[in-house]
Structures are given as structure tokens and as C-alpha cells.
Amino acid sequence: MSISSGTLRRKGRNAPTGIVVEPHTLARTAIVTLLERELAGWTFIDMISTASLDRALGMDIRLITLDLAGRDVGSSSLRSDLAAISERFSDAPIALLSDTDDISMATQALQMGIRGFFTTSLPIEIALAGLRLVLAGGVFCPHPLGTFGDGTALNLRPEEADPARRPRRDDLLHADFTPRETDVLAELQCGSSNKVIAGKLNLSGHTVKMHLQHIMRKLQVQNRTEVVARLGGRASPRNGLAIP
């Protein structure tokens, strides 16, 4: 459910909320529509610029997407936008959208605290996997910052952004999930509740709990939070992404 041009259409001020800052109407509408589909139960506020950020005060802001809009990462305009966001929503991760794959821009953005650097050349399924990673507490950047041999994007947890701190292959998680467990896991990484997962996957609440129990057993963890923490650097297998 989105809030646009001052029209209040919300599920309540306590609903998880995302902000989409995009100056172009078509792109803004497309992003909101996509996010509403992927994050059921969320409210989205779309705006042309950060000048409208105060519209979201008092809401549970979980994600902010911001279009670079042709600016340089080091521009005073972008820094001003980031400062405005930090002042109001310091805990919300920021996903930056760029129309260029410039490696220096992506590197600088991550150094500035951006949690996701998304380019318009990314396939939609990879972008969505990256978004789930950001929501799970990780960091996402596209090729060429990190790639596999086949050229797909690399997803990094915060500590893995520094190669010197990157864990060894043998230390990484290797768990085999069934296709349905993979679906449940993807929704879990989005922050979805059991009820939302059941609705999106057409499952009963009992079946969702069963899948979660199987996932936790395979990962040798005790709760949902630990599941997300363990998988913070691993995108959904159905999207073909994994840490090398």
C-alpha cells in the first residue's frame, strides 16, 4: 500500500514502511508497485525528493530507496540527502539506485554507509535478492565489485565488504533446503510474519511453522532472528546466487 502525493492510504502507522525517493514519475511508480508485490503488508511512501521526508515521521521506517539521479556519489546534493535521512531515520538502511555500473561510485557509496548499491542494468531477480539481503542486515553491491566466474552479482555481509575480513569458503553455510523451504526462507529474509508467509505461499500457519522448524534444525539455530543472521550473506538459492 503506497502513500503518494499526500494521499493517505496506509495500513497503520505501526506497519513496516519503506520510502521511495525518485524524481521520475514512471520509475517511482514502477519501484513502488514492485516493492508492494514483494513486501506484502508494508506501507510505501513515494516522494520526489527528500524535502518530503517529514511526511514519514512517526512511522516504522524499515527501508529507504534513493535514486542517485545522475549525481556523483560525492556531490553535495547527495550528501545533503543522506544527512536529511540520517537525521530523521538513522536506523533505516539506504538502497541507492544508479544508472551506471561505475566501480568507484559503488565503492564510495558503501564507504559512506549505503547498504545497497543497485544499478539499472541488474536483472530484476538479482535486484530483489539484493534487496532481501539489505533487509536481512547485509550489504549488496553488483558486478564488478565482486563477481563469480559466470559474472553474476556478489552479495556481501558488512564484514565481508573488506576482503581481509571475508570468511573462508569452509566457514560458510552449506545447507540444503527443499524448494518450499527456500520460498519460506526468502519471505523470512524480507521480514515477513508467519501469517504473511502463509498468505503469499498459500500455506496454512501450521505448515509454515513446520517449514521454519526444519530450516532452524538444518541451520542449527534456535529462532527466526538467528536464521536471518546466519543467512545474511546468502541469497535465495532459487535466484542462483551464493557466496563463493
Side-chain angles (χ1 to χ4, degrees), residues 140-194:
F140 176 84
C141 61
H143 171 79
L145 279 186
T147 60
F148 307 125
D150 59 3
T152 54
L154 169 64
N155 299 300
L156 302 176
R157 293 169 65 180
E159 67 270 20
E160 295 164 353
D162 180 355
R165 299 166 62 189
R166 192 171 300 170
R168 296 173 301 153
R169 178 189 298 267
D170 292 343
D171 294 331
L172 296 175
L173 176 65
H174 295 285
D176 294 322
F177 301 108
T178 67
R180 189 48 103 186
E181 287 170 355
T182 297
D183 292 335
V184 171
L185 186 55
E187 297 302 328
L188 183 63
Q189 289 179 291
C190 288
S192 299
S193 66
N194 285 8

Side-chain angles (χ1 to χ4, degrees), residues 50-117:
T50 56
S52 300
L53 284 174
D54 286 349
R55 289 167 49 197
L57 291 176
M59 304 187 76
D60 182 14
I61 304 301
R62 305 279 187 89
L63 174 71
I64 298 173
T65 65
L66 175 66
D67 191 351
L68 193 56
R71 297 174 291 183
D72 184 80
V73 172
S75 68
S76 59
S77 173
L78 178 61
R79 291 185 180 275
S80 178
D81 281 348
L82 296 178
I85 291 171
S86 178
E87 180 182 353
R88 294 165 176 80
F89 312 108
S90 58
D91 295 331
I94 300 173
L96 193 66
L97 178 63
S98 172
D99 60 1
T100 176
D101 295 309
D102 190 285
I103 185 173
S104 63
M105 292 179 62
T107 301
Q108 188 175 355
L110 296 183
Q111 292 173 341
M112 293 168 62
I114 299 297
R115 292 272 292 280
F117 189 85

Side-chain angles (χ1 to χ4, degrees), residues 195-211:
K195 183 177 180 180
V196 171
I197 294 174
K200 291 187 70 173
L201 300 181
N202 194 28
L203 300 172
S204 69
H206 174 75
T207 301
V208 171
K209 290 181 180 179
M210 179 189 69
H211 286 309

